[in-house]
Amino acid sequence: MHVFTYGSLMFDEVWSRLVAGSYTHVEATAHGYARFGVRDQIYPGAIHHSGASLEGVVYFDVDPADLARIDRFEGEDYRRVEVDLFCADGRRVLAAMYLFLPAERLDDTPWRPETFAADTFFNTYAAGFVR
């Protein structure tokens, strides 16, 4: 299964600490979705948002064991859904993406990847998930 990432997992320093496999990946866009910061956290959540486009990275053919690890990492606030992606290399693929369920916990402003600090993320949230 392909996995579309739009937040912490689109950064190699996070992805490679979480999964065991090595996966080819490209930048991709999911239309009809937007990402916002989760209030009082350093990571985002994505929701359906008419007219929006969500940029991220799609990893191809993710192993079931790694997919199960990602499911645990994302936790109860996220639900895995299938989305149609437009890849930077011209491909159009279906992939899993994690929607954020408690939308009332999202900030009003879009989350910007350039503000993400992977080291802070691991020290405050994801330390228990390093493989």
Side-chain angles (χ1 to χ4, degrees), residues 61-131:
D61 301 315
V62 175
D63 179 88
D66 280 337
L67 186 61
R69 187 161 177 82
I70 296 165
D71 285 344
R72 287 190 306 277
F73 175 79
E74 293 294 359
E76 295 178 3
D77 286 342
Y78 293 85
R79 179 181 64 208
R80 183 170 19 122
V81 299
E82 190 171 71
V83 295
D84 190 27
L85 298 177
F86 297 85
C87 299
D89 64 5
R91 284 185 274 183
R92 187 171 176 181
V93 300
L94 292 175
M97 180 180 94
Y98 293 84
L99 284 180
F100 192 71
L101 299 178
E104 69 279 359
R105 290 185 40 218
L106 295 175
D107 291 333
D108 294 334
T109 56
W111 185 81
R112 296 179 12 194
E114 58 271 14
T115 66
F116 182 72
D119 289 338
T120 302
F121 178 75
F122 270 101
N123 291 333
T124 60
Y125 176 72
F129 285 96
V130 176
R131 55 171 182 82

Side-chain angles (χ1 to χ4, degrees), residues 6-71:
Y6 58 83
S8 60
L9 290 177
M10 69 185 217
F11 295 93
D12 185 60
E13 57 267 42
V14 176
W15 177 264
S16 63
R17 287 176 160 178
L18 180 64
V19 301
S22 178
Y23 303 101
T24 59
H25 58 279
V26 297
E27 292 179 1
T29 303
H31 296 290
Y33 298 91
R35 87 182 137 220
F36 297 91
V38 175
R39 207 168 289 118
D40 300 322
Q41 300 296 335
I42 61 173
Y43 55 86
I47 57 172
H48 290 282
H49 198 279
S50 182
S53 292
L54 179 56
E55 308 256 331
V57 174
V58 61
Y59 293 88
F60 296 102
D61 301 315
V62 175
D63 179 88
D66 280 337
L67 186 61
R69 187 161 177 82
I70 296 165
D71 285 344

